Amino acid sequence: MRTEGAGRQRTAQAVDAEICVAGIGFVADCAGAIYWPEEGLLAIADLHLEKGSSFAARGVLLPPYDTAATLARIAHLVAHYAPRTVIALGDSFHDRDGPARVAAPDRSALAGLQRGRDWIWIAGNHDPDPADGIGGSFACTLAVGALTFCHEPTGAEGEIAGHLHPVARVGGRGRSLSRRCFASDGARLVMPAFGAYAGGLNVRHRAFADLFGTLAFTAHMLGAGRLYAFAAERCLAD
């Protein structure tokens, strides 16, 4: 894919679906998840389940299908990778009462996804406490070898986190395109938000420069069936 803008060319390279963190290779799925084949581990971040019902309670009406849509996308990943472990990296529910609002069909679908595997909910700022009736186990963080799975990134080496909802914006031919992305410098990784109603934060936001200590990291944009790698410093600000 090639784009041009502001009198110069910007080239995005279609890359193999792999991202390395602290020397460990992950399959990076264009749905916004990563899979660690050696561990049989699938990680997703920021599902924000029941965001629609949370907004409805405040008088902002959204189609109430976000939980079902997000679980259906997870089901596709589970069927494809058959993971032994699934880690949800925090803000899995949009608020503390979200688990109680999950409709019976969605609760049944979630139970089916958990059947026969370990399912670990990492605490997020939206859902910091363990919840009843949603299965799985709960942890603040999870260390696996040299890696740490958590919600809010600290910049530590080997960290795989969510929270920031990275989005990359690129331009060319008189238009621009914004897509969710993985943000990584090889030592740490920030996952894209997976939820159907989750928003995003531009990788040129100061929060990312502060986290990585520089703009010398890569935005792996989610495309239709593949990822596209852009240097963050070449991406467009909002």
Side-chain angles (χ1 to χ4, degrees):
M1 181 173 73
R2 176 165 299 202
T3 60
E4 298 180 1
R8 65 180 181 181
Q9 291 185 339
R10 292 189 177 92
T11 299
Q13 181 182 5
V15 298
D16 292 335
E18 180 177 89
I19 294 177
C20 289
V21 182
I24 297 172
F26 291 87
V27 176
D29 195 284
C30 60
I34 56 171
Y35 180 64
W36 187 357
E38 290 77 13
E39 295 291 330
L41 187 154
L42 180 73
I44 45 182
D46 296 282
L47 308 181
H48 285 270
L49 302 175
E50 293 303 312
K51 183 174 182 177
S53 62
S54 179
F55 273 53
R58 290 177 282 156
V60 180
L61 300 182
L62 296 173
Y65 309 119
D66 57 304
T67 294
T70 300
L71 292 178
R73 293 176 62 227
I74 298 173
H76 179 78
L77 292 171
V78 167
H80 181 69
Y81 294 108
R84 297 190 298 272
T85 302
V86 175
I87 303 177
L89 297 178
D91 284 4
S92 300
F93 292 88
H94 191 66
D95 58 49
R96 294 170 186 260
D97 298 325
R101 297 197 304 274
V102 176
D106 295 333
R107 196 176 298 275
S108 177
L110 179 57
L113 292 172
Q114 295 173 343
R115 193 169 297 120
R117 58 183 49 89
D118 293 328
W119 189 289
I120 302 167
W121 304 100
I122 299 296
N125 56 294
H126 280 251
D127 53 358
D129 303 314
D132 294 328
I134 61 169
S137 59
F138 299 84
C140 291
T141 63
L142 179 68
V144 182
L147 302 177
T148 300
F149 294 87
C150 61
H151 178 61
E152 296 192 39
T154 67
E157 186 168 348
E159 190 173 72
I160 297 176
H163 185 60
L164 291 180
H165 300 205
V167 169
R169 180 171 173 247
V170 296
R173 299 180 182 177
R175 61 190 182 91
S176 64
L177 173 70
S178 294
R179 298 295 297 266
R180 299 182 189 190
C181 68
F182 299 93
S184 179
D185 62 357
R188 56 197 62 81
L189 170 68
V190 181
M191 300 274 293
F194 193 87
Y197 283 174
L201 182 67
N202 192 307
V203 294
R204 293 299 301 270
H205 189 280
R206 179 62 182 268
F208 289 97
D210 288 346
L211 175 66
F212 289 102
T214 174
L215 282 176
F217 64 92
T218 301
H220 301 270
M221 292 181 68
L222 308 185
R226 63 178 64 184
L227 300 181
Y228 292 92
F230 286 88
E233 61 187 0
R234 303 290 298 273
C235 295
L236 303 176
D238 288 333

